[in-house]
Amino acid sequence: MGSTINDIAREAGVSIATVSRVINGSAQVSEETKKKVKKVMEMLNYSPSLIARGLKLKSMKNIALFVSSFLNVNHMRIAHEINSHFSKLDYDVVMYETGNSTEGLARAMKRIIEKGMDGAIFIGSSFQVLLEKSEETKKLISSIPTTIANGWVEGTYGIFVDEYKGMKDAVKHLVSINRRRLLYLKGTDSISSDNKLAGFIDGCKEEGLEEFTHIRSENDIETTRRLFDERNLASKYDGIICDEDNYALVVIKTLKHLGVRVPEDVAVIGCNNSDFSSLSSPGITTVNNKPEDQGIECAIILNEILSKGSRLEKKILITIEPELVIRESTSLS
Amino acid sequence: MGSTINDIAREAGVSIATVSRVINGSAQVSEETKKKVKKVMEMLNYSPSLIARGLKLKSMKNIALFVSSFLNVNHMRIAHEINSHFSKLDYDVVMYETGNSTEGLARAMKRIIEKGMDGAIFIGSSFQVLLEKSEETKKLISSIPTTIANGWVEGTYGIFVDEYKGMKDAVKHLVSINRRRLLYLKGTDSISSDNKLAGFIDGCKEEGLEEFTHIRSENDIETTRRLFDERNLASKYDGIICDEDNYALVVIKTLKHLGVRVPEDVAVIGCNNSDFSSLSSPGITTVNNKPEDQGIECAIILNEILSKGSRLEKKILITIEPELVIRESTSLS
DNA sequence: CTGTTAGCGCCTTCAT
DNA sequence: ATGAAGGCGCTAACAG
């Protein structure tokens, strides 16, 4: 609302160049004038227009962050870390909620050039698919430094989360507590969810299991109840893995409704190590895919590219190893 | 990456003024030249620099959104609605995570003038206190259109959520199922949490209850267990209200641990109508404070001020009435 | 150490 | 219907 650099210059009796210098510390200014200028800035409650500076410098120190939804807690945990990291470096991270459509993504991504974003981060494997669908987005992406949490696309740097192995470990854990009839419940489709499922299947095979299945379902209470009723799932299986914690909650609710005990009759495992899994009763054993680490890695790598001013020599593909967190839903204490 | 308005003008053989006109539809341009210009824009894959435009227009169509943490699901539900609303209007909402310190808030709020934000929204009653702490922030806030979800400060428009009444209703509900020894568990301090507590207390009085208490506690599993052990809470009370759903989960976990049945022995009520409350077993009766409505109202009001170009005549103070959602934790089906 | 100047890309009178 | 020109607030040579 403000005073501009001109006001400061006039009031302090110096040129705008000098003012600019004391603002940015970009060159030697005598202590005396520096002090004078600073005083005037205080008096007039001046703060430089980042948008004018941005026009000149072709950067507003913004990084664009794309998420499918603000309501996805796991993704927000990642976003939180990224934001913390960059806000310390005086960057603003601007979050865009894209939904799951190509159009939504494309519309949001237009901002990256309209606003001269310095970098971009995509959260979630779903973007891997979406980004590859359109030439336009692919081109856009390779025009600025980009990292993807849990995914990779040509021209970007990806953080890979080995959820395949995570699910294998989950299977092994179930076998270790004598469960040999396993059911896998898969939620919405995505590369991540495919990887998890593959880990489940291969894990079962490696363990020599003979009775295991996977079902694609909505993670919604009514649907799940019906599913369990119709297929009599509760009595057929003694171990269930869900690809997300919230679905595990729904499953447990369903099992209780049927009078089935967890974990005595059926053991249950979820994924994400969310508050759902730790706070629910029983606590849910879960595959911790370390969203915080994903966020930190994304931020570090992107910042490295940014400050190096160029692409990294080799395509770093950090791999994060999930970890099984064991809770009551699989332990007969 | 970018072609500029100059490139387009040159390539199309017109002046930049004309190009500007077709971009903004701001004046009559002959169909012919319009077509020509548009074609060139397509060919060169041009998109106007919002930052240059922003410098000229003194607005980048940005609204600043302040949240204490991205990890607060309830707040993000509000943010989600706000974002949806404004993105349709071609505004970007820039989210700032401020923590709970004055410094964090002040630092973030500097952006509102540095970046010439068009408006600001604060999510959560905690900001009411923080904002009033400093003259600087108070002044800042009254310099641009501002709304607050669940709070109010001089110079802003507030959305008021009647959580006081919400909690009274919760008490009444417990009484209606014959609970007369009530315990209230209070989490982190805030105006909102104070209002809720007041509602609980007054509700108990109105109902003529004689045994009721409230305790301030951390909502963490270990702390809660210790608290229940030391004070023997589980046997003293037959109804418990928590000021947030996640704490209700912790309480239920604790009760189960002690072999106490919910709701037969102790009924439990939470607040927020979060996924926690609907997905947990038992489902938790909860005070729905309608975050979605809060978000929508914030957005609508702010947008109204923005488009009217001036402050609204009267200080609107929309009031949102919470609604009790009854689930298994209070119903002996 | 300090001032002058030329843009950054766009919008907007003011002429034509 | 179109063009010319000034300016938004700031930075970065280039002079001095």
Side-chain angles (χ1 to χ4, degrees), chain A residues 28-39:
Chain A
Q28 288 300 328
V29 179
S30 80
E31 275 308 317
E32 197 181 3
T33 54
K34 192 186 294 182
K35 210 170 292 178
K36 191 170 52 182
V37 170
K38 280 189 173 164
K39 210 180 70 185

Side-chain angles (χ1 to χ4, degrees), chain B residues 71-120:
Chain B
L71 305 180
N72 184 317
V73 182
N74 205 45
H75 289 350
M76 290 312 293
R77 285 164 73 184
I78 300 178
H80 170 72
E81 297 298 330
I82 294 172
N83 185 72
S84 301
H85 188 99
F86 276 107
S87 71
K88 279 178 203 138
L89 300 168
D90 211 38
Y91 278 88
D92 276 2
V93 355
V94 184
M95 295 187 43
Y96 293 94
E97 211 178 7
T98 64
N100 282 311
S101 68
T102 334
E103 307 80 53
L105 177 58
R107 191 158 5 96
M109 284 182 68
K110 284 189 62 180
R111 296 299 195 211
I112 120 176
I113 91 126
E114 293 178 334
K115 291 202 168 178
M117 297 288 184
D118 297 287

Side-chain angles (χ1 to χ4, degrees), chain B residues 31-232:
Chain B
E31 274 309 316
E32 197 182 3
T33 54
K34 192 185 292 180
K35 211 170 292 177
K36 191 170 53 184
V37 170
K38 279 188 174 165
K39 210 181 71 187
V40 177
M41 295 199 304
E42 293 252 316
M43 279 180 44
L44 271 58
N45 195 16
Y46 168 76
S47 49
S49 158
L50 294 188
I51 113 128
R53 171 183 296 166
L55 176 57
K56 180 70 196 178
L57 264 35
K58 291 167 169 338
S59 157
M60 287 187 70
K61 299 201 75 164
N62 275 163
I63 92 108
L65 184 51
F66 301 90
V67 199
S68 59
S69 167
F70 290 168
L71 305 180
N72 184 317
V73 182
N74 205 45
H75 289 350
M76 290 312 293
R77 285 164 73 184
I78 300 178
H80 170 72
E81 297 298 330
I82 294 172
N83 185 72
S84 301
H85 188 99
F86 276 107
S87 71
K88 279 178 203 138
L89 300 168
D90 211 38
Y91 278 88
D92 276 2
V93 355
V94 184
M95 295 187 43
Y96 293 94
E97 211 178 7
T98 64
N100 282 311
S101 68
T102 334
E103 307 80 53
L105 177 58
R107 191 158 5 96
M109 284 182 68
K110 284 189 62 180
R111 296 299 195 211
I112 120 176
I113 91 126
E114 293 178 334
K115 291 202 168 178
M117 297 288 184
D118 297 287
I121 300 181
F122 295 82
I123 296 181
S125 69
S126 62
F127 286 110
Q128 179 164 340
V129 180
L130 284 179
L131 286 169
E132 273 173 346
K133 263 190 194 162
S134 135
E135 281 310 315
E136 191 187 343
T137 54
K138 278 205 293 195
K139 208 173 53 184
L140 245 174
I141 236 179
S142 53
S143 74
I144 69 162
T146 303
T147 64
I148 304 183
N150 205 359
W152 181 80
V153 174
E154 179 74 37
T156 73
Y157 296 89
I159 308 296
F160 178 67
V161 185
D162 196 351
E163 299 181 301
Y164 172 86
K165 178 164 178 305
M167 279 303 167
K168 260 195 185 174
D169 290 347
V171 170
K172 282 181 194 159
H173 174 63
L174 285 177
V175 171
S176 81
I177 59 166
N178 302 314
R179 307 303 163 116
R180 304 190 62 83
R181 295 173 289 126
L182 305 189
L183 169 63
Y184 186 92
L185 292 173
K186 187 172 187 288
T188 46
D189 280 320
S190 72
I191 293 191
S192 159
S193 115
D194 291 345
N195 285 343
K196 292 178 194 171
L197 176 55
F200 169 77
I201 293 174
D202 290 357
C204 288
K205 288 182 182 162
E206 280 180 20
E207 293 294 326
L209 300 185
E210 288 169 348
E211 296 176 61
F212 62 90
T213 326
H214 58 96
I215 300 178
R216 169 81 173 75
S217 168
E218 306 302 318
N219 86 26
D220 143 278
I221 297 179
E222 280 318 309
T223 314
T224 305
R225 284 207 179 153
R226 211 173 318 121
L227 185 70
F228 272 68
D229 279 346
E230 288 170 0
R231 306 233 205 160
N232 200 16

Side-chain angles (χ1 to χ4, degrees), chain B residues 232-285:
Chain B
N232 200 16
L233 298 176
S235 54
K236 269 194 198 146
Y237 300 95
D238 57 12
I240 301 180
I241 300 181
C242 303
D243 67 357
E244 293 201 347
D245 284 339
N246 50 5
Y247 198 15
L249 276 193
V250 173
V251 165
I252 286 180
K253 207 175 169 79
T254 303
L255 291 174
K256 285 203 182 170
H257 182 69
L258 295 171
V260 175
R261 292 167 306 164
V262 177
E264 292 83 352
D265 303 325
V266 177
V268 175
I269 294 183
C271 182
N272 277 357
N273 193 33
S274 62
D275 283 351
F276 288 128
S277 64
S278 58
L279 301 184
S280 78
S281 328
I284 300 175
T285 294

Side-chain angles (χ1 to χ4, degrees), chain B residues 4-5 20 24 46 48-49 53:
Chain B
T4 77
I5 199 175
S20 177
N24 303 300
Y46 168 76
S49 158
R53 171 183 296 166

